[in-house]
Amino acid sequence: MGKSAFSGIQPSGDMHIGNYLGAIRNWVVDYNTDESIYCIVDLHAITVPQDPELLRNRIRSLTKIYISCGLDINKVAIFVQSHIKEHAELGWIFQCLTPLGWASRMTQYKEKSADKKEQSSVGLLAYPMLMAADILLYQVDGVPVGDDQKQHVELTRDIAQKFNREYGEAFKVPEPWIRDSGARVMALDEPTKKMSKSGGPNNAIMLLDSPAVIKSKIMKATTDSGREIKFNPEQAGLYNLLTIYELFAPGNPTRPEIEEQFAGQGYGGLKKATVEVVVEGLRPIQEKYAELSKDEGYVEQILKDGADKIRPIAAKTLSEVKQRMGIG
Ligand code: AQP
């Protein structure tokens, strides 16, 4: 595509097929280039309490997941957000630039702080300004994300435009890049809500789940009491299973082909076939992950190389911002 991308995932839990289908797989297919940058956003993860040892391990695990899913480390840069100090500094500048009204309108903040507004961290409210800093430091063309992050990318654009208006053109204004299919994979046990790292035990299929666990979760997935297999968004559980099947099935079958394939089989047939395609789809990722786990030093080197490659870009952008604002 010849366009530069920036995206990231929080190391706040195990990766699930929503993260894969909504984000990582699109990075691999469409934006696996020299100009693309993929971050492990550890500073975002600490907006809620984290166990230090677990967090350290999850950062390494997520790096291995990125590579196992197919990111080409000879092209893209993979790095840890906290390894480049410019993120926190530009994040602070953006907190000062952003009206409180813009920040408090963010749906994710409202959902995550919901009934515990007084106890939730200031960082949870400031998160989208740090995300804007993550993206804008690297002057990229776009941000490939799942649908739930669209509002944050739009806020990033608003912040870039406000800065450019008030202090002169310092930032490229990036586009949200959201694919139609897989943009919102729903929870297996509650298909009206998105699949999430922090859901219950049967909410999500994790990328490293064993075949037996995948089978158990899919066979228990919530569906209605119907029998006919059609892509009908009104039937949330069935629609979600069909979408997962569609995205993992080899040979890219069309929706009418899938409906025809399962005609008369009932939901049991669809569930069994979905188990098979998901297990087979995740197998190469799991094999590569196991191989990478034999050499943790390799992972550390990738993270160091990634940060070294892009640090100069971040430094240049921040230096221009500070100069334009009269800081320092
Ligand atoms: N269910 C989903 N369907 C499609 N895409 C999804 N993404 C997350 N869930 C789905 C996409 O994955 C990328 C990384 O997300 P994140 O980890 O930074 O934050 P998140 O959206 O808050 O992830 P979770 O799993 O929902 O975590 P918790 O439970 O901690 O809140 C993003 O591109 C996101 O769109």
Side-chain angles (χ1 to χ4, degrees):
M1 282 214 175
K3 290 197 160 190
S4 54
F6 178 98
S7 199
I9 297 185
Q10 301 184 56
S12 52
D14 296 333
M15 288 305 106
H16 51 74
I17 59 168
N19 299 128
Y20 176 59
L21 299 172
I24 309 178
R25 189 158 90 162
N26 303 335
W27 308 348
V28 170
V29 174
D30 290 333
Y31 313 106
N32 209 352
T33 67
D34 287 321
E35 299 158 306
S36 293
I37 301 173
Y38 297 106
C39 187
I40 289 142
V41 285
D42 56 347
L43 295 175
H44 288 289
I46 59 165
T47 51
V48 296
Q50 299 289 342
D51 174 83
E53 196 49 37
L54 201 54
L55 181 58
R56 202 169 293 117
N57 289 336
R58 281 181 172 152
I59 292 168
R60 273 74 203 170
S61 170
L62 186 50
T63 310
K64 290 186 277 181
I65 291 279
Y66 282 4
I67 304 166
S68 308
C69 289
L71 282 182
D72 182 348
I73 46 136
N74 295 312
K75 292 186 177 158
V76 307
I78 299 176
F79 77 106
V80 180
Q81 184 186 28
S82 63
H83 289 181
I84 298 193
K85 296 192 172 17
E86 282 80 357
H87 288 251
E89 199 170 340
L90 187 60
W92 170 254
I93 291 171
F94 285 165
Q95 284 180 54
C96 298
L97 188 81
T98 307
L100 187 58
W102 290 11
S104 47
R105 267 198 293 279
M106 293 297 108
T107 320
Q108 197 183 73
Y109 169 68
K110 287 195 221 161
E111 279 169 10
K112 290 203 169 178
S113 62
D115 51 341
K116 40 184 189 317
K117 271 229 162 41
E118 292 296 317
Q119 291 83 35
S120 67
S121 72
V122 175
L124 202 61
L125 179 67
Y127 164 114
M129 283 119 268
L130 181 58
M131 176 165 158
D134 300 336
I135 298 163
L136 296 175
L137 273 174
Y138 299 101
Q139 310 286 357
V140 292
D141 297 309
V143 191
V145 281
D147 184 57
D148 59 319
Q149 289 293 338
K150 186 166 184 231
Q151 194 185 31
H152 289 162
V153 181
E154 274 160 5
L155 181 73
T156 298
R157 290 169 56 84
D158 290 342
I159 291 173
Q161 281 159 347
K162 186 170 193 290
F163 188 98
N164 288 349
R165 240 184 353 259
E166 292 178 9
Y167 297 102
E169 293 283 321
F171 295 111
K172 189 181 260 188
V173 182
E175 301 286 333
W177 286 334
I178 301 170
R179 280 205 174 186
D180 288 342
S181 61
R184 187 173 285 258
V185 180
M186 308 309 277
L188 293 179
D189 58 351
E190 214 177 340
T192 50
K193 297 197 171 144
K194 75 161 190 154
M195 186 175 280
S196 159
K197 295 187 206 100
S198 51
N202 292 314
N203 173 294
I205 299 169
M206 303 304 171
L207 295 187
L208 300 180
D209 274 348
S210 67
V213 171
I214 294 171
K215 182 173 180 195
S216 151
K217 287 180 179 175
I218 292 179
M219 296 317 278
K220 280 190 210 138
T222 304
T223 44
D224 51 54
S225 55
R227 273 197 60 78
E228 207 193 356
I229 298 205
K230 291 267 175 224
F231 277 90
N232 174 9
E234 305 283 301
Q235 292 172 280
L238 174 64
Y239 187 82
N240 193 37
L241 277 180
L242 276 167
T243 308
I244 293 171
Y245 178 84
E246 177 189 24
L247 291 167
F248 277 102
N252 298 323
T254 62
R255 291 189 167 193
E257 280 166 356
I258 294 172
E259 288 172 349
E260 198 182 327
Q261 178 187 344
F262 290 108
Q265 287 194 35
Y267 295 172
L270 170 66
K271 283 184 170 178
K272 269 195 205 140
T274 305
V275 172
E276 270 169 39
V277 293
V278 173
V279 166
E280 285 315 309
L282 296 185
R283 191 188 300 282
I285 296 173
Q286 297 183 355
E287 285 172 358
K288 179 81 184 164
Y289 185 92
E291 193 189 313
L292 289 170
S293 299
K294 291 180 192 151
D295 184 1
E296 296 294 337
Y298 176 70
V299 170
E300 294 303 327
Q301 192 60 46
I302 284 168
L303 293 176
K304 184 180 179 307
D305 292 348
D308 288 349
K309 177 175 167 188
I310 59 171
R311 193 174 281 111
I313 314 173
K316 181 164 179 276
T317 302
L318 185 66
S319 157
E320 185 181 341
V321 165
K322 288 167 80 172
Q323 202 213 344
R324 285 183 183 276
M325 294 184 82
I327 300 174

